[in-house]
Amino acid sequence: MSERKDLLGDVRRVVVKIGTTSLIKDGAVSKEFMDSVAEQVFRLREEGRQVLIVTSGAIGIGLKAMGAKPKPNEMPIRQAAASVGQSILMQRWSESFQRYGILVAQILMTFDVYSDRDSANNLNNTVESLLDNSVVPIFNENDAVCINEIKFGDNDTLSAIVASRTDSDLLVILSDIDGLYDSNPSENRDARFIPVVHRIDDSIKAMAGGTSSGFGTGGMKTKIDAAEICRDARCNMIIASSKVYGVVYRTVAGDDVGTLFVSGDEVPKKRRWIKSAHAAGRITIDKGAEKAVLEHRSLLPVGIRKVEGEFRKGEVVEIVCEGRIIAKGVPSYSSKELASIAGRHSDEIEGILGYRLHADAVLSENIALLTI
Ligand code: GLU
């Protein structure tokens, strides 16, 4: 067995993310490309694999249909274009898949929906039911209603969250770049292609332009962020060029195409959700409490210095020490309650609030560290 096939293992469930540049050729939606994706998905399903798609392109297609040319940062026209483009986009996907007798479903996501644990769980039920009924779920961000605070921001992140949430084995990100290089290949003829990444460390992040020494290959940073989300979910990830013939089928089959990011040990689902959910507020803690949190112990009220934002019990907050976000967590108390017990001993909670749920402000099982 080739090393790649060995590293990938048996892919039962795969998410394929398709970027705008892959879909739109010479200013028009490429029917040929969409038909080819549908054909490859058909072949994968014939082998008993399940496929989910995350598609971009709504804004690009909508702007073209409306003949609109927005100024940079002009949002309303982009949001209008998204709603025009999304229906054209789905119509095209539906036509391509129909050729192979496959039904597709549209799922539009916003970050605030995902940040609500019940909605995130409901989403799972919907997806499982679609897959049980042999439907291909097609996701995009709900750009028409999205403002900054409720945005995933990019479909690389969205696709990684979908892969993590649905316990997929592999995420394939199709783009106009064929993978990760150690320096910018368009500027440096000696740039070395990296076929496999076993560990996402600072040197890998630097290659992606995440640091001042990076060369900033456009969307590579968000792809590395996506790889970190996948890693925690025990999901492999491949970045590959959509120009490679049969790329969807070949990456899943374990051919040496693109850069493979090998998954790590699985982080429990609840912690993964805490890590990527929207933070409704922040708790600033002292050094002693930081030590406890970093040692995977609970956060006690006595270590809390400041509570910011308004949040209910059960919402996600950032946990900050000396200005650095070290973790995210789900407190056992609301922001108002935490503000009144901050800096106080756990024995005093009942006297102050009139009741006591936990001696801890945030239980260790409800804390996800961001520093590792
Ligand atoms: N949701 C956007 C669209 O459909 C694309 C965002 C992205 O590609 O990251 O146009």
Side-chain angles (χ1 to χ4, degrees), residues 56-59 140 143 154-155:
S56 300
I59 297 175
N140 194 2
D143 298 297
D154 61 85
N155 278 3

Side-chain angles (χ1 to χ4, degrees), residues 13-15 52 162-164 166-170 233-236:
R13 186 175 282 186
V14 56
V15 177
L52 300 87
V162 168
S164 162
T166 56
D167 293 323
S168 294
D169 307 301
L170 176 67
R234 227 183 196 308
C235 174
N236 293 300

Side-chain angles (χ1 to χ4, degrees), residues 9 99 114 173 217 269 332:
R99 294 163 62 110
Y114 173 74
I173 295 191
T217 41
K269 214 170 196 163
S332 310

Side-chain angles (χ1 to χ4, degrees), residues 26-320:
D26 305 323
V29 185
S30 170
K31 185 174 179 312
E32 195 189 337
F33 177 72
M34 292 173 107
D35 285 350
S36 150
V37 169
E39 188 265 338
Q40 294 170 67
V41 170
F42 172 77
R43 280 165 62 203
L44 290 170
R45 286 173 28 129
E46 288 290 288
E47 296 173 357
R49 310 185 209 255
Q50 294 176 321
V51 186
L52 300 87
I53 288 183
V54 175
T55 186
S56 300
I59 297 175
I61 293 171
L63 287 175
K64 179 135 184 32
M66 294 162 78
K69 287 194 177 61
K71 298 186 191 81
N73 301 326
E74 196 187 343
M75 277 318 284
I77 185 72
R78 283 197 169 76
Q79 293 188 288
S83 51
V84 170
Q86 181 64 28
S87 67
I88 300 175
L89 183 61
M90 281 312 294
Q91 196 184 341
R92 297 289 168 82
W93 276 124
S94 179
E95 283 164 9
S96 292
F97 275 99
Q98 235 163 37
R99 294 163 62 110
Y100 300 92
I102 298 173
L103 204 57
V104 297
Q106 165 181 275
I107 304 182
L108 294 179
M109 300 266 288
T110 51
F111 196 44
D112 60 333
V113 169
Y114 173 74
S115 296
D116 177 69
R117 200 130 196 274
D118 288 338
S119 310
N121 286 336
N122 285 341
L123 172 70
N124 263 40
N125 297 338
T126 308
V127 170
E128 292 303 329
S129 176
L130 287 170
L131 294 172
D132 283 350
N133 285 282
S134 304
V135 179
V136 172
I138 303 188
F139 295 78
N140 194 2
E141 181 151 24
N142 195 356
D143 298 297
V145 301
C146 267
I147 47 163
N148 273 344
E149 295 87 273
I150 59 167
K151 251 180 158 348
F152 286 94
D154 61 85
N155 278 3
D156 292 330
T157 310
L158 172 63
S159 63
I161 285 177
V162 168
S164 162
R165 194 72 218 161
T166 56
D167 293 323
S168 294
D169 307 301
L170 176 67
L171 166 64
V172 179
I173 295 191
L174 295 185
S175 171
D176 51 356
I177 38 172
D178 49 9
L180 182 68
Y181 286 83
D182 67 350
S183 62
N184 191 343
S186 57
E187 284 167 11
N188 180 2
R189 273 196 302 145
D190 298 325
R192 201 169 53 87
F193 183 71
I194 316 274
V196 183
V197 174
H198 288 273
R199 224 174 87 81
I200 303 165
D201 54 17
D202 287 348
S203 71
I204 296 293
K205 288 184 184 168
M207 288 175 199
T211 70
S212 52
S213 62
F215 56 88
T217 41
M220 195 47 93
K221 184 181 177 305
T222 55
K223 291 176 179 52
I224 303 289
D225 293 345
E228 287 191 306
I229 296 173
C230 288
R231 175 202 59 202
D232 288 353
R234 227 183 196 308
C235 174
N236 293 300
M237 188 185 109
I238 295 175
I239 303 172
S241 165
S242 57
K243 294 185 202 101
V244 173
Y245 180 75
V247 65
V248 176
Y249 185 84
R250 291 180 57 199
T251 45
V252 177
D255 282 5
D256 283 325
V257 178
T259 298
L260 166 66
F261 291 79
V262 183
S263 72
D265 292 336
E266 186 166 352
V267 173
K269 214 170 196 163
K270 190 171 176 191
R271 282 222 172 93
R272 278 188 256 150
W273 170 74
I274 294 172
K275 248 184 173 178
S276 47
H278 171 77
R282 54 164 52 192
I283 301 175
T284 301
I285 60 174
D286 63 23
K287 288 300 277 179
E290 181 195 37
K291 185 166 181 286
V293 168
L294 294 178
E295 286 170 0
H296 306 283
R297 286 185 278 130
S298 295
L299 172 64
L300 296 171
V302 72
I304 298 180
R305 287 255 173 94
K306 195 160 90 185
V307 179
E308 289 167 275
E310 244 177 70
F311 49 88
R312 285 167 289 139
K313 171 178 165 287
E315 287 192 288
V316 174
V317 300
E318 290 169 345
I319 301 175
V320 180

